[in-house]
Amino acid sequence: MLSPSRRVAVLVSGGGTNLQAILDARGSVIRHAEIVLVVSNKPGAYALERAARAGIPALTLSAKELGGMEAFEHALQRALEEYRIDLIVLAGFLTILSEDFTRRWDHRILNIHPSLIPAFCGRDYYGLRVHEAALARGVKLTGATVHFVNEIPDGGEILLQKAVEVLPGDSPETLQRRVMEQAEWILLPRAIEMVAVEGITQEERSNQ
Ligand code: GAR
């Protein structure tokens, strides 16, 4: 019998190295989740190319083109329903979702953030800015965090964290790369599998 699996949508805005890590973990770390949809809010994002190469349906939904965040979330919700999505994964998705949306998907949205929350997180911290701030503060350890998404930017329940050393001479770019390699690309597939298995177990319990 095939093992049950959760249907996952991955939301992206850029290069999609975290998306790639998720795709590469299928069949090894990820055994109870299927990536069935990729959504980019940036037309032309390289992550779309990665989705196409993996044969996964991908959509571009741009708030700018749709006339605002409300219309964007409406279109997103419709796509998620159409693809019968169980779990949303924000993998370098650099837009803040509304309280309405995050409530509707309570404990069903995961995000990866490139620092040890609560350091260097919240509305103003994303992408390279996080690593610039860590270097400016002179921390010796940074890392990555996977957490559930709620109405507070980077404020939801923490699932996994991994520390990464800051080395003398690091630039924001070298630090970003180390945090990705040593933490993000490992944690995100692991968190997806954890949440998928937990969801399936809960469903089985409630069916008994
Ligand atoms: C990643 O470092 C991710 O953690 C970060 O953006 C980068 C996207 O890279 N996300 C945030 O800063 C969210 N606040 P990718 O497109 O290559 O996965």
Side-chain angles (χ1 to χ4, degrees), residues 13-19 50 91-94 111-114 125-127 130-131 154 176 180 184-185:
S13 300
T17 65
N18 278 289
L19 168 66
R50 298 182 192 268
F93 179 70
L94 304 182
N111 180 45
I112 179 108
H113 182 75
Y125 293 94
Y126 53 86
V130 179
H131 305 292
D154 298 324
Q176 178 182 54
M180 284 175 160
E184 296 188 44
W185 300 341

Side-chain angles (χ1 to χ4, degrees), residues 153-207:
D154 298 324
E157 184 187 336
I158 292 174
L159 256 169
L160 295 176
Q161 286 190 306
K162 193 166 185 287
V164 174
E165 256 190 294
V166 179
L167 297 181
D170 261 340
S171 64
E173 289 78 10
T174 60
L175 185 56
Q176 178 182 54
R177 183 76 191 179
R178 189 173 318 109
V179 169
M180 284 175 160
E181 283 176 358
Q182 294 184 8
E184 296 188 44
W185 300 341
I186 299 165
L187 291 188
L188 193 52
R190 230 183 248 170
I192 293 170
E193 178 65 9
M194 271 173 59
V195 172
V197 169
E198 178 58 24
I200 292 163
T201 315
Q202 270 176 14
E203 197 170 87
E204 281 168 354
R205 266 192 233 122
S206 61
N207 286 339

Side-chain angles (χ1 to χ4, degrees), residues 25-39:
R26 291 173 301 167
S28 54
V29 175
I30 300 179
R31 296 183 169 274
H32 295 85
E34 245 179 297
I35 316 307
V36 296
L37 178 65
V38 170
V39 179

Side-chain angles (χ1 to χ4, degrees), residues 60-74:
T60 302
L61 299 175
S62 147
K64 211 166 156 190
E65 283 167 19
L66 289 164
M69 260 319 268
E70 213 175 298
F72 167 83
E73 286 186 348
H74 187 73

